[in-house]
Amino acid sequence: MTLGLDFDFRRWPALERLERKERWPGTAQRAEGGAESAPATGGRPGAEPALSERELRVAAALAEAAMPPGRFLEGAGAATAARLAAFLSTIPPHLAQGLRAALWAIELAPVATRLRPLSALPLEERMEVLRGFEQSRALALRSLLRAVLTPLRFLHYDRPEMFEHVGCRYELPTVRDESPRWLSQVTNGREVEEDLELECEVLVIGTGAGGAAAAYELASRGHAVLMLEEGDYHRRSSFTGRPARAYREMYRDHGLDMAIGNVGIPVFAGRAVGGSTVINSGTCYRAPESTFASWRDGMGLPAELSSEGLAPYYERVERMLQVAPADPLHLGAIGPIIRRGAERLGLQHGPLQRNAPDCDGQGICCFGCPTGAKRSTDVSYVPEALKRGAQLITAARVRTIDVVAGRARGATAVLGGDTRAGGGGGAAGGARRRRPRLVVKAEAVVVAGGALMTPLLLRRSGACLSSGMLGKNLSIHPASKVMALFDERVDQWRGIPQGYQIDHFADEGLMFEGGSLPFDVAALAVPWTGRRYTELMERYPHLATFGFMIKDSSRGEVRPGLGGTPLVLYTMNPEDVARMQRGIELLCEVFLAAGARRVLPLVAGCDEVNGPEDLERLKGRQIKAGDIDVAAFHPLGTCRIGVDPRSSCLGPDHQAHDVAGLYVCDGSAIPSSLGVNPQMTIMAMSLRAAELLSARLSG
């Protein structure tokens, strides 16, 4: 139903004037040649070259020492440096400048001891210098090396011939997209050429786990819903399995967001219709009752937020996502390896619950499902909301929530994609045309931009500031991995990348979940340099990877950063570091029990664990946070719900304490770490919040 808004929701004149084109930005064919054919100068009109001639030589000398040729893998060098220059021209300038600064720091580091910069040293001496960085217990030195080597390695290995050398498929053929009727209710903001003013009953900002579920529920109840999404609507033709394309088009900030503290932690989030559900592994858990009990006992949250209270919502989510155990036929070799090791150690294990009923084991879940089997919100909740009358505008970057007399009344957005520095889109000669503006009037606003971006939007809007908690209370579900070499072929790129689990230690806050890596991503995961690095990459067909995540008690903060990006601050406390160490030790035991030839925990100062004595040495070490390779995929808590307006941003109904009609339905509303993958809990809580909002609108 509506509240007397003066428009026919089924016909939006401003949208009907737009010319609808067959090709969407997210489905455009990949440019011929890829990164290797790109120029070494800037991609932004009128920009300076991304790297000077001297910097190109430095990058080539570094790449040559870090990735020398092997028996059949070619080495890096000048061509890799040229690809780096092309890459730097496509990312925000402040990130490119940071990488250039790191490159110079490594170039000048040997001057104090060897009296010459890195690029002037013979190859063997360059390898020694990099080995010193790699093995240093100083986090700053290892982080510096990693910052430069990560793009160099990715660009070196992201080529068809490198995949052919190890027997891997490089990419999938492009499929033809279907054109269902509900697509007529989607407007591509990149094609809009005039300012728009629209009205709706509920404006939903973001189409990930929370926003899409809320939009579906509200549209199902007859409300006039408009969804805005900053990213594009990528169809199946976009999902060719290439990480480089996915990072560029579907990940926020090219996947370069980093939590800064006593360890540098990449924090990954999606930016597309479907949000992070497009790029996750499809793992589906209900949150444990122990977590809900802590909310009730420690925060006074109501009994409805419990396993029993949320059960009906979880059941609805599971039906929509068609959740079921991973098919053993598509677990690949990793599942049997982990099962073998876990059984010998007497550990509880089994296939994971997933939202991919027709999965055929393509192994590229984190880069978009090419078959549509994974029920991410772009193929589940969003289309179902559109079928029920909702509308969607993509490439719409919301600047502010419009608050009038203490109530959310809509939002103002800019259309046409990313308008931050480095976002591209300028006209010839460096001049940029003005992006069209979208003004939306609404009776209520649901913000669902994720735990990194929601607090930035709310802060710009002057909302949720009264408690002082906005952007704080960040949990990130820290994750790490262990690798192992086997005599048998593993071919970890085949099968579900995250389809098996060891849940024996869940009560300790440790969940072990498969984390198989494609060849070029595996190249980034190994912190070694020189010949032993190349030798290991040549053994990729025999390399296994498995990961784990901890229920973190550490907390961080999200602040506004350069160019509109989030500045993420996070320091891992000693308890979480100890839990990370225990996870690494346990995975080493599992791999050894499974018959691994070499086990690689990749902990600084402890590269290999190949027997009981090595394992005891690892257990006897006092590992620091910066000694472990950590990543994060589930940021939560930066706009948490609570009953006390002095310590929380939202009420238990997800409505802001200080702005009426403003709701937050995403991971930022979750008050603490869940200890499991959060997408189902975010969806379940968002369905509940949408019910409550609907009752108020209808009352």
Side-chain angles (χ1 to χ4, degrees), residues 540-622:
Y540 173 79
H542 297 265
L543 188 65
T545 306
F546 210 73
F548 66 93
M549 293 179 287
I550 68 166
K551 184 177 181 180
D552 52 331
S553 59
S554 308
R555 292 295 180 266
E557 182 178 357
V558 176
R559 299 177 182 175
L562 293 173
T565 59
L567 173 61
V568 184
L569 307 176
Y570 184 90
T571 296
M572 191 178 295
N573 65 33
E575 292 78 13
D576 285 346
V577 174
R579 195 173 288 115
M580 294 291 289
Q581 180 168 354
R582 176 155 168 74
I584 290 170
E585 293 166 0
L586 288 168
L587 264 184
C588 288
E589 291 187 61
V590 170
F591 274 133
L592 288 172
R597 175 70 64 180
R598 297 167 63 190
V599 179
L600 313 174
L602 304 177
V603 173
C606 187
D607 289 336
E608 298 198 28
V609 171
N610 296 327
E613 292 183 1
D614 291 342
L615 186 58
E616 288 305 312
R617 278 194 292 270
L618 174 61
K619 291 180 178 181
R621 291 178 62 88
Q622 187 173 358

Side-chain angles (χ1 to χ4, degrees), residues 13 36 54 74 120 160 166-167 179 186 234 243 307 321 324 333 413 526 545 572 585-586 624 651 684:
E36 58 268 29
R54 170 69 187 278
E74 66 182 78
V166 292
S179 297
V186 182
H234 297 279
S307 295
L321 302 188
V526 179
T545 306
M572 191 178 295
E585 293 166 0
L586 288 168
K624 298 181 295 185

Side-chain angles (χ1 to χ4, degrees), residues 608-671:
E608 298 198 28
V609 171
N610 296 327
E613 292 183 1
D614 291 342
L615 186 58
E616 288 305 312
R617 278 194 292 270
L618 174 61
K619 291 180 178 181
R621 291 178 62 88
Q622 187 173 358
I623 291 179
K624 298 181 295 185
D627 294 339
I628 306 169
D629 185 22
V630 186
F633 305 91
H634 307 139
L636 302 171
T638 53
C639 190
R640 69 181 177 190
I641 61 173
V643 296
D644 187 350
R646 297 170 299 179
S647 59
S648 60
C649 299
L650 314 169
D653 60 356
H654 291 245
Q655 185 172 206
H657 289 307
D658 56 5
V659 178
L662 175 62
Y663 290 74
V664 176
C665 293
D666 59 19
S668 68
I670 306 294

Side-chain angles (χ1 to χ4, degrees), residues 104-176:
W104 276 107
I106 294 174
E107 163 74 346
L108 298 176
V111 172
T113 56
R114 300 177 185 258
L115 305 180
R116 285 185 291 176
L118 182 78
S119 61
L121 296 174
L123 178 60
E124 293 298 328
E125 287 193 47
R126 274 181 272 149
M127 289 183 175
E128 288 180 19
V129 171
L130 297 188
R131 175 80 169 173
F133 273 76
E134 167 201 320
Q135 293 296 307
S136 173
R137 292 301 300 273
L139 173 62
L141 293 181
R142 297 197 315 278
S143 299
L144 188 66
L145 183 64
R146 180 179 181 179
V148 177
L149 287 187
T150 294
L152 279 172
R153 284 174 168 166
F154 195 81
L155 295 165
H156 179 62
Y157 282 94
D158 181 30
R159 293 177 291 148
E161 58 268 30
M162 300 297 277
F163 279 64
E164 291 172 5
H165 286 318
V166 292
C168 294
R169 177 193 62 210
Y170 179 70
E171 67 180 341
L172 298 174
T174 301
V175 299
R176 183 175 180 176

Side-chain angles (χ1 to χ4, degrees), residues 439-493:
V439 176
V440 181
K441 295 180 181 179
E443 291 297 306
V445 176
V446 175
V447 179
L452 300 185
M453 300 305 291
T454 285
L456 302 188
L457 172 58
L458 295 175
R459 188 173 298 280
R460 290 197 302 270
S461 307
C464 296
L465 299 176
S466 57
S467 68
M469 289 301 299
L470 182 63
K472 298 181 180 179
N473 188 51
L474 172 70
S475 64
I476 61 173
H477 212 183
S480 192
K481 67 186 183 305
V482 173
M483 293 178 160
L485 280 168
F486 286 82
D487 289 335
E488 66 199 82
R489 284 187 69 98
V490 176
D491 289 329
Q492 61 177 306
W493 61 279

Side-chain angles (χ1 to χ4, degrees), residues 95-291:
L95 295 177
Q97 291 163 6
L99 283 169
R100 291 176 72 179
L103 187 67
W104 276 107
I106 294 174
E107 163 74 346
L108 298 176
V111 172
T113 56
R114 300 177 185 258
L115 305 180
R116 285 185 291 176
L118 182 78
S119 61
L121 296 174
L123 178 60
E124 293 298 328
E125 287 193 47
R126 274 181 272 149
M127 289 183 175
E128 288 180 19
V129 171
L130 297 188
R131 175 80 169 173
F133 273 76
E134 167 201 320
Q135 293 296 307
S136 173
R137 292 301 300 273
L139 173 62
L141 293 181
R142 297 197 315 278
S143 299
L144 188 66
L145 183 64
R146 180 179 181 179
V148 177
L149 287 187
T150 294
L152 279 172
R153 284 174 168 166
F154 195 81
L155 295 165
H156 179 62
Y157 282 94
D158 181 30
R159 293 177 291 148
E161 58 268 30
M162 300 297 277
F163 279 64
E164 291 172 5
H165 286 318
V166 292
C168 294
R169 177 193 62 210
Y170 179 70
E171 67 180 341
L172 298 174
T174 301
V175 299
R176 183 175 180 176
D177 292 319
E178 299 175 348
S179 297
R181 291 181 62 184
W182 49 260
L183 268 183
S184 65
Q185 290 164 240
V186 182
T187 297
N188 182 353
R190 298 185 188 278
E191 297 174 359
V192 177
E193 296 181 352
E194 60 184 16
D195 291 345
L196 295 178
E197 292 188 9
L198 302 173
E199 294 183 8
C200 63
E201 193 173 7
V202 184
L203 173 63
V204 178
I205 301 168
T207 58
Y216 162 79
E217 185 66 21
L218 290 161
S220 297
R221 292 170 178 268
H223 298 287
V225 177
L226 170 63
M227 295 177 282
L228 299 183
E229 170 56 52
E230 181 184 358
D232 295 311
Y233 206 152
H234 297 279
R235 309 297 306 290
R236 283 178 55 190
S237 61
S238 294
F239 304 145
T240 60
R242 295 306 317 127
R245 179 176 183 177
Y247 287 137
R248 182 176 65 249
E249 297 181 357
M250 303 170 206
Y251 280 68
R252 179 161 299 284
D253 296 321
H254 298 256
L256 296 175
D257 285 329
M258 183 80 68
I260 302 170
N262 57 352
V263 56
I265 306 176
V267 183
F268 297 101
R271 193 186 69 164
V273 172
S276 295
T277 70
V278 175
I279 59 165
N280 70 18
S281 295
T283 302
C284 292
Y285 285 103
R286 295 190 184 193
E289 175 55 30
S290 58
T291 295

